[in-house]
Amino acid sequence: MKTYQLVGIGNAVVDVISQCEDTFLDHMGIEKGIMQLIERDRGEVLYAAMEGRVQTPGGSVANTIAGAGALGLSSAFIGRVHDDALGRFYAQAMQDDGVDFVNAPVEGGELPTSRSMIFVSPDGERSMNTYLGISSELSSADVSPAVAGAAQIMFLEGYLFDKDKGKTAFMEAAQDCRKGGGKPGISLSDPFCVERHRADFLRLIENELEFVIGNEDEVKSLFETDDLDVALDKLAAICPLVVCTRSGDGVSVVSAEGRVDVPVQKVVPVDATGAGDQFAAGFLFGLSQGRDLETCAKIGCACAAEVISHIGPRPQVDMKSLLSSAGLI
């Protein structure tokens, strides 16, 4: 069995991206700047209304794994797609990006391949409308203990907590990873997701995980507080490594060694899609190379800065060269 430096488990979602004006969002009843779950019929209406569509393999953790793979890590992604046109596109695109797509598309799957219609407004904000489809049905049967046990770092996607079988798959995968000597961790994904499953998130983090990556709103939601410092202290008390992104205010990393705050240069994004995902890719790349936590955060920030400079959730330049010229690797 191949040993992977990084294995991700998450929603396998085809991202369909289009630029639009704020008036379009109002007209279509789309709430700006958040991720909304939609039904199949709504997805077909929004897809038909998109102009200049760009189609890419997506999903939060999948984007992270692809970004880390582009930096040279031996990477794999575990997700669930239907054996339909979008599912075959997704599986092949991940392989083309240098990431092993562990499970073949499901023949006769119960639901279509997942897709997210993403509308990017002039200020770079993205409004995501996601039909989860088959990806949300991921269960323990989709996660090979051999793959999980051979992962040096495992990254789990919080969105899959919306179903009990996803929670079970995560717990078992994290246990297998730790038995194999690896480090499992999670992306909190979304403050509303945290709110729905707060107790289960805390239980998994405290008992099974080695690191957590989330943004300021997600971390505060975990402990139902408006005080980020209080939330970070509480999270660090139950998890060895806590990484919190704060948009233009930088990144805070808390570990047994103390707290490190890394500033970032504020820029207006062309498209904020994937900023957190690519930050995680850079941070986990640095972690896999044994870099200090401050450097890991700086690598993550550089990856995030690149992805928000263009449309789409994945890097479009040679990130190793970019990081090298910045003196980060």
Side-chain angles (χ1 to χ4, degrees), residues 10-21:
N11 279 310
V13 183
V14 177
D15 284 341
V16 187
I17 305 170
S18 177
Q19 293 179 296
C20 73
E21 299 294 329

Side-chain angles (χ1 to χ4, degrees), residues 68 85 120 175 237 248 272 308:
V120 182
Q175 290 172 349
I308 67 174

Side-chain angles (χ1 to χ4, degrees), residues 93-293:
M94 290 295 284
Q95 293 288 158
D96 292 345
D97 282 344
V99 175
D100 284 355
F101 190 73
V102 174
N103 299 331
V106 178
E107 294 184 4
E110 65 277 22
L111 294 168
T113 295
S114 309
R115 72 287 311 266
S116 182
M117 276 61 68
I118 302 174
F119 296 91
V120 182
S121 41
D123 59 0
E125 277 290 343
R126 80 272 196 236
S127 306
M128 305 172 69
N129 301 265
T130 303
Y131 168 61
L132 286 177
I134 196 173
S135 69
S136 63
E137 298 299 317
L138 185 138
S139 70
S140 299
D142 298 301
V143 184
S144 163
V147 174
Q152 293 177 14
I153 298 174
M154 174 173 283
F155 196 39
L156 310 173
E157 183 175 317
Y159 283 128
L160 284 175
F161 254 47
D162 274 324
K163 296 200 174 179
D164 287 342
K165 54 188 173 183
K167 296 176 185 177
T168 300
F170 276 8
M171 181 186 68
E172 294 175 356
Q175 290 172 349
D176 288 335
C177 180
R178 292 176 69 191
K179 287 177 185 176
K183 295 181 182 296
I186 197 166
S187 162
L188 294 178
S189 293
D190 180 86
F192 301 108
C193 184
V194 172
E195 186 177 328
R196 289 193 296 271
H197 307 287
R198 186 174 290 112
D200 288 328
F201 268 117
L202 289 171
R203 191 176 300 112
L204 181 71
I205 290 167
E206 183 170 10
N207 295 323
E208 306 294 349
L209 301 184
E210 300 293 328
F211 67 91
V212 173
I213 299 179
N215 66 30
E216 181 175 359
D217 291 337
E218 293 157 2
V219 172
K220 290 191 294 189
S221 178
L222 201 55
F223 295 98
E224 299 180 89
T225 178
D226 290 327
D227 190 322
L228 178 60
D229 291 335
V230 168
L232 286 173
D233 287 344
K234 288 185 175 181
L235 188 50
I238 62 171
C239 186
L241 176 59
V242 176
V243 185
C244 178
T245 59
R246 296 180 287 121
S247 190
D249 293 326
V251 180
S252 297
V253 184
V254 188
S255 69
E257 302 169 7
R259 175 170 168 171
V260 176
D261 293 304
V262 177
V264 297
Q265 182 178 354
K266 293 184 179 182
V267 296
V268 176
V270 173
D271 174 14
T273 309
D277 305 338
Q278 294 309 320
F279 169 84
F283 187 92
L284 295 177
F285 168 78
L287 196 65
S288 75
Q289 305 302 299
R291 306 302 298 272
D292 63 88
L293 296 178

